[in-house]
Amino acid sequence: MTVAAVLAHYIGVEQRKVERLLALTQEQVYQDAEYRAWIESLDVERLNQLLPLARAAYEKHLPTFAERLRERYNMSNTPMSAFTLGNWLVGFLQYPSQIADLARIHQRLPRQAVLEMLPEMIAMLDEMPEGREDWQRAFAVVTLPLTAKRN
């Protein structure tokens, strides 16, 4: 399954809509009206309430996942933890005007790594006892620009 198909599934849109965005640069995705509407449609208050459940789901998988990232892409000092991952998602949604900073923060991460890792990171949330769909949709929407062409 392609990344576009995975993202479309979790976002709940037609795959062609995601493919259209992935043909743009990251900067263009952040400026796109449809993408902005997806961001604005996310229920930040509910995501914040569910944050402990998302962190718990990520806590089970992220240490091993981060180790694979380090080994496969020779990346050290990857500050990925369940705490920071959950916080940045909710934080960027609380301040959507700053969301393009995600691309800057993740620019050292190879695009291929994002393409390979993203489906697994979204699937880690399957273990949430409540709010799984909300968090998976939010994660897919927020990270979609990271899979687009680099500026």
Side-chain angles (χ1 to χ4, degrees), residues 66-83:
E67 184 59 33
R68 280 198 333 260
L69 176 65
R70 280 189 281 278
E71 289 173 5
R72 185 166 187 162
Y73 293 98
N74 196 27
M75 298 193 67
S76 58
N77 300 325
T78 304
M80 191 182 323
S81 73
F83 186 81

Side-chain angles (χ1 to χ4, degrees), residues 42-104:
L42 298 172
D43 186 344
V44 181
E45 186 175 315
R46 176 155 169 75
L47 292 166
N48 198 36
Q49 290 170 349
L50 296 165
L51 182 56
L53 300 176
R55 281 185 188 142
Y58 276 124
E59 195 68 43
K60 293 179 184 178
H61 303 283
L62 275 179
T64 304
F65 184 79
E67 184 59 33
R68 280 198 333 260
L69 176 65
R70 280 189 281 278
E71 289 173 5
R72 185 166 187 162
Y73 293 98
N74 196 27
M75 298 193 67
S76 58
N77 300 325
T78 304
M80 191 182 323
S81 73
F83 186 81
T84 57
L85 186 60
N87 282 5
W88 69 249
L89 186 132
V90 172
F92 277 111
L93 290 175
Q94 288 174 336
Y95 300 97
S97 64
Q98 304 298 312
I99 201 162
D101 285 345
L102 268 176
R104 181 187 51 76

Side-chain angles (χ1 to χ4, degrees), residues 17 53 57 61 67 93 107 113 115-117 119 135 142 150:
K17 292 185 175 198
L53 300 176
H61 303 283
E67 184 59 33
L93 290 175
Q107 71 187 81
L115 294 171
E116 289 176 20
M117 298 178 329
W135 261 84
V142 169
R150 301 283 166 101

